[in-house]
Amino acid sequence: MPVSPPLPRPLLVLVGDAHEWSARSLESILSPRGYRIRTLHTGPELLAAAAHQSDAVILQSGLPDRDVLGLIRALRGALALHGEIPIVLTAAGPLSRARRLGALRAGASDVWGLPMDADEVTLRLEALLRARVAAARARDEGLIDAATGFYNQRGVVRRGDELAALAARRRTAIGCIVVAPAGTKATEAGTRARPDSAAAAIAQGLKGAARTTDAVARIGPTQFAVLAPEADAHGARELASRAVLAIRRVAATRPPDQHLEVCAGYHGVEDFSASGLGTQDLLACATSAVRAAEASGRDGAIRGFAHGSQDAS
């Protein structure tokens, strides 16, 4: 399996933290690993710095001067011209589920509960940065679907091989979901969404449901896939449920003549190194599962596989 190329160095990380001691703690972890660190102590300072080139932003939840979720949204807007730059929200101790989901919806790439050991901080940050580098490379190499900005079929296989190599080396999990329109009632009534409208709704929902580290792809006119590192069967099923709910929320805002029902299939592997599978196998299993879900004709149907064992919902 291919090995991911090293990240370009040096990389600039903006650290937004009101407390000098915790900012220095992050700097002591990242600087020896080749990162350049710039620490800002207020929201306006961070926004001003973010308007210029940076590679990642790590934001402490207690930063003063403005609501942290509003700051994340403002940062995401300021960074839009520079691609999908990782924005990480950190907090001392675990954050509530509502707080984590709020941060992710606002545009955070990940949420960290501190303290974490140095290796975990480094590996988490590098995973986010590799996803960004891979996306930029894919755009340059024609591996992107122009209509959605996601990977195309060739691109997701290329990126999937990289994620699979990492999972095999670390003996970690990897999951895959496939999402597609479903249901026969809408078709019979003549109100099913047109393919372009269905694809747009599914793409919009997946943008809110997938993590930055996931590889999202359009693999057919209205069929989409997500490769999710560190997601076993349970994690893949949760991702599928989250994706279906997000797409249904988008569809609910559409006119009646753009009615859309959606279903999902998933496949999860707990130890990818021991599975003997490749990217194409993950996609094939998840595609088989979504076909079973489509056959049910039920909106929101999810079918899945884990190590060849099928379950249904």
Side-chain angles (χ1 to χ4, degrees):
M1 288 185 175
V3 176
S4 295
L7 289 168
R9 305 287 183 180
L11 294 171
L12 174 62
V13 178
L14 302 181
V15 175
D17 197 327
H19 305 290
E20 189 70 31
W21 63 269
S22 53
R24 287 189 179 278
S25 176
L26 271 174
E27 186 172 359
S28 70
I29 292 172
L30 297 175
S31 290
R33 290 164 170 80
Y35 292 93
R36 292 188 297 126
I37 307 299
R38 184 179 176 190
T39 301
L40 295 312
H41 299 294
T42 69
E45 289 178 337
L46 192 61
L47 276 172
H52 303 286
Q53 186 61 45
S54 60
D55 295 293
V57 177
I58 300 178
L59 172 66
Q60 216 284 331
S61 62
L63 198 69
D65 299 326
R66 73 190 288 168
D67 170 66
V68 69
L69 298 187
L71 179 57
I72 291 171
R73 284 188 286 268
L75 281 167
R76 186 55 72 200
L79 294 169
L81 295 177
H82 305 302
E84 191 65 15
I85 289 177
I87 299 174
V88 178
L89 178 66
T90 67
L95 282 169
S96 68
R97 180 176 182 273
R99 193 69 166 168
R100 291 198 313 274
L101 291 178
L104 294 171
R105 289 188 182 114
S109 308
D110 204 356
V111 182
W112 299 350
L114 301 178
M116 292 191 301
D117 65 47
D119 287 339
E120 184 175 1
V121 168
T122 304
L123 289 172
R124 281 178 176 269
L125 181 58
E126 288 191 351
L128 294 171
L129 289 167
R130 286 187 191 284
R132 182 192 174 216
V133 169
R137 186 171 68 249
R139 280 190 293 271
D140 293 341
E141 295 175 356
L143 305 179
I144 294 294
D145 174 65
T148 62
F150 295 156
Y151 290 106
N152 57 27
Q153 178 80 43
R154 190 162 66 98
V156 76
V157 171
R158 176 86 62 89
R159 178 58 179 156
D161 287 345
E162 294 174 350
L163 294 176
L166 286 172
R169 289 202 302 275
R170 298 172 182 170
R171 304 190 70 89
T172 54
I174 190 167
C176 178
I177 72 167
V178 172
V179 183
T184 57
K185 292 181 180 178
T187 303
E188 292 166 358
T191 59
R192 192 170 187 174
R194 299 185 307 274
D196 57 341
S197 176
I202 294 172
Q204 185 178 342
L206 286 177
K207 285 178 181 177
R211 306 167 300 175
T212 302
T213 50
D214 296 337
V216 187
R218 186 181 187 181
I219 58 174
T222 57
Q223 196 171 67
F224 291 76
V226 182
L227 290 171
E230 300 186 11
D232 58 10
H234 177 73
R237 182 185 175 82
E238 285 193 339
L239 175 58
S241 298
R242 193 163 68 245
V244 166
L245 287 174
I247 295 163
R248 291 170 81 179
R249 282 196 294 268
V250 172
T253 67
R254 299 297 178 95
D257 64 349
Q258 295 183 26
H259 179 82
L260 174 66
E261 296 180 354
V262 70
C263 63
Y266 70 89
H267 180 60
V269 180
E270 186 171 356
D271 182 350
F272 193 75
S273 177
S275 71
L277 300 178
T279 302
Q280 298 279 21
D281 300 308
L282 291 172
L283 290 166
C285 288
T287 299
S288 295
V290 82
R291 286 174 181 159
E294 287 175 319
S296 74
R298 182 166 61 87
D299 184 24
I302 298 173
R303 299 289 186 270
F305 295 88
H307 298 292
S309 299
Q310 184 176 16
D311 67 87
S313 66

